[in-house]
Amino acid sequence: MRLLDGGCGPGTISIDLAAVVSPAEVVGIDLEPSQVDLARAQVAERGASNVRFEVADLYALPFPDESFDAVFLHGVLEHMGEPVRGLREVHRVLKRGGVLGARHADFGAFLLEPAPAPLDRFAGLFQLLMVCNGADPKAGRHQLRWLRESGFTRIEAAASFDCWTRTPAEAHQNARFLAQLVSDSAFAAQLVAAGLADRTVLERMRQGFLEWGANPDAFAAEAWGEAVAWKA
Ligand SMILES: C[S@@+](CC[C@H](N)C(=O)[O-])C[C@H]1O[C@@H](n2cnc3c(N)ncnc32)[C@H](O)[C@@H]1O
């Protein structure tokens, strides 16, 4: 068996998949050489022998037709301007009867509570910025259509939420992450450059997230569209 993890990022999920399908081979690919370096470092650290990583583009996979039994895509399609073109490549490299697992975020259903102003603007700003960057913040709800348009006929769809606040410690950690995201990150700089928010609002948001993280009622959850699809 051969499994492809497309847009594998730092390879954490690919290495977990390799443990599940061992001794089958897992190939993780990512467009960003820095992510592939991180993934290779993870392999060295975790000692997985049936997984390898390559720099490659989902729009032009360097693999022959029908060369994988399974493909996994997680959090990738929302960053691709032409997801159907990428999925057609995935369809091409899958063997007949092969299976694709796909899970993509949907920020149109980001739950945040409590969300006093300006925290109530966070999910909306995040979506606007994704659109500015050519990404699709509602990929989760669109992937079923994308799968059909790329040639998959048998598809089972599902959905789930990832809770970011399962314990007070996790809420605190994610609050610090969100506070940094809105104040000291490429995301914050882009929001300002695009005229979507000014530094005063972002500073209020930063303080708001730190207060939110200390609130025992803090709750956040991210929605995901999921699908399993088979190549006929
Ligand atoms: C949010 S990360 C997800 C990483 C991993 N799948 C996970 O869920 O942990 C999205 C990844 O997709 C990669 N990516 C975006 N467009 C790509 C493309 N056309 N071909 C390959 N990788 C791509 C990015 O470089 C990034 O590492």
Side-chain angles (χ1 to χ4, degrees):
M1 179 188 185
R2 286 182 88 213
L3 184 152
L4 174 70
D5 185 6
C8 62
T12 42
I13 301 177
S14 330
I15 296 170
D16 286 345
L17 287 171
V20 172
V21 301
S22 177
E25 183 193 21
V26 172
V27 181
I29 64 108
D30 201 282
L31 195 56
E32 286 293 330
S34 61
Q35 294 297 303
V36 170
D37 288 345
L38 281 173
R40 287 178 179 154
Q42 281 272 330
V43 172
E45 201 179 305
R46 289 172 58 178
S49 59
N50 60 328
V51 56
R52 65 185 170 84
F53 294 97
E54 290 179 26
V55 175
D57 188 347
L58 268 166
Y59 289 131
L61 290 170
F63 306 112
D65 294 355
E66 303 190 10
S67 50
F68 287 92
D69 301 274
V71 178
F72 183 62
L73 299 175
H74 190 267
V76 186
L77 293 177
E78 58 259 60
H79 302 293
M80 296 176 66
E82 296 176 81
V84 174
R85 186 154 75 87
L87 280 170
R88 286 201 180 116
E89 267 296 90
V90 165
H91 192 268
R92 179 184 69 75
V93 302
L94 259 182
K95 292 179 187 169
R96 287 180 192 282
V99 65
L100 165 67
R103 186 169 190 256
H104 290 92
D106 196 312
F107 287 97
F110 184 72
L111 308 184
L112 185 69
E113 182 67 21
L119 296 193
D120 56 346
R121 289 180 59 196
F122 172 73
L125 285 175
F126 198 86
Q127 290 184 66
L128 280 172
L129 197 62
M130 283 185 80
V131 171
C132 282
N133 288 335
D136 184 340
K138 294 183 177 168
R141 71 190 69 181
H142 294 151
Q143 70 173 357
L144 181 59
R145 173 168 53 81
W146 294 341
L147 285 165
R148 276 196 313 94
E149 288 176 3
S150 56
F152 289 93
T153 45
R154 184 180 158 212
I155 307 166
E156 289 179 12
S160 63
F161 275 89
D162 279 354
C163 182
W164 293 16
T165 49
R166 290 171 299 177
T167 61
E170 192 177 62
H172 190 65
Q173 187 186 358
N174 280 318
R176 275 183 298 157
F177 163 73
L178 288 164
Q180 187 178 359
L181 183 70
V182 297
S183 59
D184 179 20
S185 70
F187 169 77
Q190 276 189 303
L191 280 178
V192 174
L196 295 171
D198 61 32
R199 284 283 171 195
T200 312
V201 169
L202 293 181
E203 174 55 23
R204 282 175 52 217
M205 221 177 237
R206 185 187 74 82
Q207 286 172 9
F209 272 126
L210 292 177
E211 284 164 25
W212 175 86
N215 186 331
D217 299 332
F219 179 81
E222 177 185 5
W224 295 80
E226 302 175 342
V228 180
W230 290 263
K231 177 170 171 174

